[in-house]
Amino acid sequence: MHTPSAERFAEQQGWRRRFVRTNAVALHCVEAGDPIAQRVVVLLHGFPEFWYAWRRQIQPLADAGLRVLAPDLRGYNLSDKPPRVRDYTIAQLVGDIAGLIRNTGGSRVTLVGHDWGGIIAWHVAMRHPQLLHRLAILNAPHPTAFQRELRQRPSQWLRSAYVLFFQLPWLPEALLRAGDWHVLRRMLRVDPVVPYAFRRQDVTRYVTAFARPRALASTLNYYRALSRKPDEMFRAQRIDVPTLVLWGEQDRYLNSSLTDDLYLWVPSVRMERLPDASHWLHHERPARVTARLLEWMQ
């Protein structure tokens, strides 16, 4: 049976699609809700996803009166894919989202990020706090906490070993493409603690997004750029934006201790742990995650 594209799925939901020019790239965005609503939420996906990661949150947030914007980050799916590793530094990624927020034309936004989207969101909050009303992070380490864990807990190095593998030329791309994207398909099937958190048609859409020309190399360049400029990644400062952190405690990639003592760098942080969720908490417990986000924003 043919699986409609993710973009066709968005159109079937009545969601709008457009490209936003920001920081010398065009970001493909899916938008829902009142286009002139003053309350705006921007949803940033992680690896190996794209805007579709937020499909279960978009409509409930729009129904609550919010204007919802879910972009494909640079390098992903239909967004531009600059060719060089240095095009994917934290500074460039933050510049993209700062420009996207300014493009909304409204007041400050609530920024929500998961995984790489959460890392970018942390840095937006540090570098451009004037753009944010509130911040929400889903299983993405605060840079100072991550640096601490790498220094103090060898287990985090083991969980992050894939980052070292991604530094190699061409081999990670070859492995991920092998067997009709077997590694990607298996990860989405096996990683979640909730069976079928990713349905077959969902996996097909993720594979389609990754198979686009230059998409795979571009997404791996996030990790390669990180290793070339680690000081930029770990440079942190106090965040005074009110912040909600939702953390699936069965994360295979990130120690739960990464959430310890976050108040040292984020005094207004509110921490909520989900013991029955993993790294993919917004797929596994979508209703609960959406409810928490709505409570936080309202």
Side-chain angles (χ1 to χ4, degrees), residues 50-164:
F50 62 110
W51 72 262
Y52 184 73
W54 300 106
R55 66 196 179 280
R56 293 188 175 100
Q57 283 74 43
I58 291 173
Q59 194 58 51
L61 293 173
D63 290 343
L66 294 156
R67 178 182 170 194
V68 185
L69 196 62
D72 292 330
L73 299 177
R74 74 160 59 195
Y76 283 84
N77 194 36
L78 296 177
S79 289
D80 281 354
K81 301 168 182 63
R84 303 166 302 181
V85 172
R86 66 175 179 267
D87 294 322
Y88 296 88
T89 62
I90 285 291
Q92 293 286 11
L93 303 175
V94 169
D96 291 353
I97 303 308
L100 177 67
I101 293 171
R102 294 188 181 102
N103 183 271
T104 63
S107 56
R108 296 176 298 165
V109 308
T110 295
L111 186 61
V112 181
H114 169 248
D115 187 76
W116 260 106
I119 293 171
I120 296 168
W122 280 125
H123 282 271
V124 172
M126 287 186 280
R127 302 178 188 207
H128 302 282
Q130 74 282 359
L131 298 177
L132 302 186
H133 171 61
R134 292 202 167 199
L135 177 68
I137 302 291
L138 283 65
N139 281 64
H142 183 280
T144 306
F146 192 55
Q147 188 176 42
R148 178 196 66 198
E149 291 298 298
L150 291 175
R151 288 173 175 170
Q152 297 180 359
R153 289 184 171 85
S155 61
Q156 185 56 59
W157 278 106
L158 294 174
R159 291 172 182 253
S160 303
Y162 67 94
V163 177
L164 301 177

